[in-house]
């Protein structure tokens, strides 16, 4: 259902942290993975898919978005660069469980945002270290969350990307329908030297000329678990090589299993009834 109270709708303004180049990466995706180029309309329902409306009017972006994943009824996991950056404005709400970018699903207000304390923005292989952030919603939703996989998997493991990012290289052509793309986990060596590691997954498309793009940032990379249910393995973070268009790939994804301890500790310490112990880790 659609449940947005217009009287409480607000804009969350984020403090300046970077340059125009950083904003382009922050608002759309760190380099090359935003909306999915050469993906296809979603073939099934993904109740855990989340959209975060955002803009950067100072730089001419009035209708952007990032992706995210519902991991508990009141918690959403996304990329840190989606919620912090110079000139970036969040609309103050998220949309949960819709296959449409601007309609359907359940809309909730952002209550608090927790950015990983090790997050560092940047460019090239140093870009977006610890690129993780948690969003606490003002109220729980009815949609079924996605569970975090125990391990990301070995190279060759089949995965799937979801997003409302750009469908055209070099343009901001956001689709109305949710896009998906079948991919696989790559070896560290399949990304440029220094890009992938134990916390950043190199990801390869199984379809030629296809990969996540601007606007897909923060969105889920999923795989099927042993019981056939989708599990979260990655969070869209950026390109896996320098100076390549989205469609050329590879993509770089923050490993959700690698950050599971931080995720669980942050949610446990900052439940609705728990006091916030370190206000420096919180952005409102």
């Amino acid at each position: 259902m659609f449940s947005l109270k217009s009287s409480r709708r607000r804009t969350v303004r984020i403090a300046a942290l970077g340059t125009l180049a950083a904003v382009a990466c922050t608002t759309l995706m760190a380099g090359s993975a935003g909306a999915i180029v050469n993906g296809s309309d979603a073939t099934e329902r993904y109740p855990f898919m989340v959209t975060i409306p955002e803009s950067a009017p100072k730089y001419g972006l009035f209708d952007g978005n990032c992706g995210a994943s519902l991991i508990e009824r009141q918690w959403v996991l996304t990329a840190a660069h989606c919620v912090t950056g110079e000139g970036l404005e969040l609309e103050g709400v998220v949309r949960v469980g819709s296959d449409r970018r601007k309609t359907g699903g359940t809309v909730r207000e952002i209550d608090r945002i927790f950015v990983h304390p090790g997050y560092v923005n940047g460019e090239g292989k140093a870009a977006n270290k610890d690129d993780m952030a948690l969003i606490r919603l003002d109220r729980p939703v009815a949609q079924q969350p996605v569970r975090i996989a125990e391990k990301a998997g070995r190279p060759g493991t089949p995965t799937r990307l979801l997003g409302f990012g750009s469908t055209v290289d070099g343009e901001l052509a956001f689709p109305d329908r949710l896009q998906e793309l079948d991919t696989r986990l790559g070896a560290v060596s399949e990304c440029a030297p220094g890009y992938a590691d134990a916390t950043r997954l190199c990801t390869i498309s199984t379809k030629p000329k296809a990969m996540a793009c601007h606007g897909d940032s923060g969105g889920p990379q999923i795989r099927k678990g042993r019981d056939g249910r989708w599990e979260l393995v990655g969070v869209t973070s950026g390109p896996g090589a320098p100076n390549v268009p989205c469609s050329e790939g590879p993509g770089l994804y923050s490993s959700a299993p690698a950050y599971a301890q931080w995720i669980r500790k942050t949610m446990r310490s900052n439940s609705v009834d728990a006091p916030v112990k370190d206000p420096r880790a919180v952005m409102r």
Side-chain angles (χ1 to χ4, degrees):
M1 76 175 186
F2 185 92
S3 58
L4 173 61
K5 295 182 180 179
S6 59
S7 62
R8 297 183 62 195
R9 190 172 182 174
R10 68 186 187 276
T11 297
V12 180
R13 296 180 181 272
I14 307 299
L17 289 181
T19 62
L20 174 59
V23 173
C25 292
T26 296
T27 306
L28 308 173
M29 154 149 201
S32 88
I36 296 174
V37 177
N38 288 328
S40 60
D41 289 348
T43 57
E44 58 184 277
R45 297 185 65 184
Y46 302 97
F48 52 83
M49 180 66 199
V50 179
T51 309
I52 305 173
E54 60 184 21
S55 61
K58 181 178 179 180
Y59 300 105
L61 180 71
F62 298 96
D63 183 29
N65 57 258
C66 264
S69 301
L70 181 74
I71 57 172
E72 284 198 6
R73 302 282 184 179
Q74 201 168 351
W75 288 90
V76 166
L77 181 67
T78 190
H81 78 263
C82 282
V83 295
T84 177
E86 181 186 355
L88 177 65
E89 296 182 3
L90 304 186
E91 192 173 308
V93 299
V94 302
R95 186 180 302 279
V96 182
S98 179
D99 65 352
R100 303 283 178 169
R101 191 165 76 94
K102 291 190 172 185
T103 59
T106 301
V107 174
R108 288 287 187 263
E109 290 190 6
I110 295 172
D111 182 31
R112 291 181 183 271
I113 299 174
F114 301 83
V115 175
H116 192 284
Y119 170 65
V120 176
N121 202 343
E123 297 182 20
K125 62 184 179 182
N128 297 341
K129 177 180 179 292
D130 295 331
D131 193 13
M132 285 282 188
L134 281 162
I135 294 174
R136 192 178 76 190
L137 308 180
D138 66 329
R139 291 175 292 149
V141 297
Q143 281 82 359
Q144 182 68 35
V146 64
R147 65 188 177 196
I148 296 174
E150 291 186 5
K151 297 180 180 179
R154 297 180 178 180
T157 298
T159 61
R160 178 171 292 178
L161 313 182
L162 303 175
F164 288 97
S166 179
T167 56
V168 181
D169 277 331
E171 297 184 17
L172 300 182
F174 301 133
D176 176 57
R177 291 284 303 276
L178 178 64
Q179 299 292 292
E180 67 180 36
L181 177 66
D182 287 336
T183 53
R184 65 172 174 84
L185 294 180
V188 169
S189 60
E190 291 183 87
C191 277
Y195 275 69
D197 55 32
T199 65
R200 303 196 292 181
L201 307 175
C202 185
T203 300
I204 309 296
S205 174
T206 60
K207 181 179 181 181
K209 302 291 184 180
M211 184 47 67
C213 198
H214 311 306
D216 288 325
S217 288
Q221 178 182 29
I222 52 178
R223 74 168 192 186
K224 284 289 181 72
R226 292 182 179 179
D227 59 1
R229 293 171 55 192
W230 289 114
E231 297 178 336
L232 183 67
V233 295
V235 174
T236 311
S237 181
N243 305 317
V244 294
C246 298
S247 62
E248 296 297 327
L252 202 61
Y253 288 73
S254 297
S255 170
Y259 290 93
Q261 184 175 356
W262 173 78
I263 291 168
R264 295 184 181 116
K265 180 179 179 181
T266 301
M267 292 191 298
R268 184 172 58 250
S269 301
N270 297 282
S271 63
V272 175
D273 297 327
V276 176
K277 297 180 180 179
D278 184 1
R280 293 172 300 175
V282 180
M283 305 165 67
R284 296 199 64 173

